[in-house]
Amino acid sequence: MNTGTLLEGNENMETVLVTGSSRGIGLELTRQFLDLDYEVIATYRGKPSSSLSQLAGEHQYLRLINLEVTHQDSILGLAKHLKGIKLDIIVNNAGISDPSDGDLDSLTAVDWANTFAVNTIAPLMVSRALLDNLRLSSNPRIITISSQMGSLNHQGTGRYAYRSSKAAANKVMQVLAQDLDADKIIVCPIHPGWVQTDMGGTMADITVVQSATGIIDLIHHLTMEHSGRFFTWNGEEHQW
Ligand SMILES: NC(=O)c1ccc[n+]([C@@H]2O[C@H](COP(=O)([O-])OP(=O)(O)OC[C@H]3O[C@@H](n4cnc5c(N)ncnc54)[C@H](OP(=O)(O)O)[C@@H]3O)[C@@H](O)[C@H]2O)c1
């Protein structure tokens, strides 16, 4: 029987879905949401990492679901699995920066398209597939982990695929915010900082703990007035 939550007895908990939770920012968001007594649906592709599996062994309110964000069948399978389940927050975190996306000479069209598939198209497709779940919440939010590298005001060379994919993701989220205004669903892209992960590298400015703590604090303070605006992990508004 469908109870409206994944587990019985926790109807008062908020439920958050985080994509790309096997490592990096997604793993830390999962960990911190659990520590804050959220029910967390963490998605992974292939097999869950040992860190994510370990968390699942320790936390009753963590559910792991396989999701390849670029595959429509996988998204439809997720939506089917979660049918009737209330979601309060979706965090579109899964993202890539392709190794070929270094400079003008190295980028290939295939890698560029793949970067768009993950960073730009998937956040909309995943969010759209789960709108009925969000509509069951009294405070629904769609968060997309974007990047300052997608800001039109941010100067830099190379990384054409990554920069353009995040710029387009920002635009997509701005439009989605307007489309979902009548549903009172808050939609915000967030720059997570330059973070020490496999993607960010060891020289990055901040740790995953700092980034995830800031992102969650920001999410707690979002209201409809903030929907369709671009923020940084530490709560500041970012220029488009
Ligand atoms: N780190 C930074 O400094 C930084 C700065 C600005 C923005 N960001 C953004 O923050 C987000 C998280 O980045 P991160 O640094 O944590 O990166 P990361 O350590 O490379 O982790 C990326 C996560 O995304 C998942 N993923 C990638 N492609 C996927 C796909 N097709 N389907 C499902 N999952 C997929 C990966 O799964 P696998 O483990 O299976 O590969 C992994 O769990 C990304 O959107 C990134 O663009 C990061």
Side-chain angles (χ1 to χ4, degrees):
M1 193 180 77
N2 203 331
T3 61
T5 60
L6 281 180
L7 291 165
E8 288 184 45
N10 64 336
E11 285 75 9
N12 295 327
M13 292 171 95
E14 286 213 314
T15 302
V16 54
L17 181 140
V18 183
T19 67
S21 294
S22 262
R23 56 197 170 98
I25 298 167
L27 178 64
E28 184 58 26
L29 284 170
T30 298
R31 185 177 284 128
Q32 291 196 20
F33 274 122
L34 287 167
D35 287 346
L36 291 167
D37 291 334
Y38 280 77
E39 178 173 296
V40 184
I41 300 165
T43 80
Y44 63 92
R45 60 174 175 171
K47 284 186 175 170
S49 64
S50 54
S51 306
L52 188 59
S53 297
Q54 191 181 335
L55 267 187
E58 294 164 356
H59 290 272
Q60 181 191 4
Y61 291 118
L62 172 60
R63 284 287 171 273
L64 306 186
I65 300 183
N66 195 308
L67 175 68
E68 163 53 65
V69 297
T70 62
H71 289 181
Q72 199 56 27
D73 286 352
S74 187
I75 294 174
L76 289 176
L78 172 75
K80 195 172 165 194
H81 191 79
L82 297 180
K83 193 170 168 54
I85 304 291
K86 171 179 71 78
L87 286 182
D88 299 285
I89 306 168
I90 294 173
V91 183
N92 292 299
N93 165 76
I96 56 165
S97 175
D98 196 276
S100 81
D101 184 24
D103 58 33
L104 186 54
D105 297 324
S106 60
L107 177 64
T108 70
V110 170
D111 293 335
W112 194 350
N114 191 38
T115 302
F116 256 75
V118 180
N119 293 357
T120 312
I121 298 170
L124 184 71
M125 292 301 159
V126 171
S127 303
R128 189 180 66 178
L130 300 175
L131 282 181
D132 283 345
N133 304 85
L134 288 169
R135 289 186 180 113
L136 296 173
S137 167
S138 58
N139 185 18
R141 286 144 284 174
I142 295 172
I143 304 301
T144 293
I145 305 300
S146 178
S147 171
Q148 66 179 5
M149 288 176 72
S151 167
L152 300 184
N153 285 283
H154 188 266
Q155 302 287 325
T157 59
R159 308 284 301 276
Y160 289 86
Y162 189 75
R163 291 180 198 282
S164 58
S165 71
K166 294 294 189 181
N170 284 350
K171 189 66 199 177
V172 166
M173 290 301 136
Q174 189 192 50
V175 177
L176 186 63
Q178 292 193 29
D179 269 344
L180 299 182
D181 188 63
D183 288 300
K184 300 268 180 283
I185 299 177
I186 297 167
V187 182
C188 287
I190 296 179
H191 165 59
W194 183 24
V195 192
Q196 293 156 19
T197 63
D198 293 339
M199 186 187 292
T202 53
M203 300 300 286
D205 290 336
I206 58 172
T207 63
V208 281
V209 174
Q210 289 172 297
S211 177
T213 303
I215 290 167
I216 292 173
D217 188 48
L218 171 61
I219 290 172
H220 284 153
H221 288 92
L222 291 177
T223 65
M224 277 307 291
E225 176 198 328
H226 301 111
S227 192
R229 291 158 63 182
F230 181 27
F231 291 95
T232 64
W233 66 282
N234 53 0
E236 290 169 8
E237 188 155 7
H238 202 296
Q239 284 186 305
W240 292 110

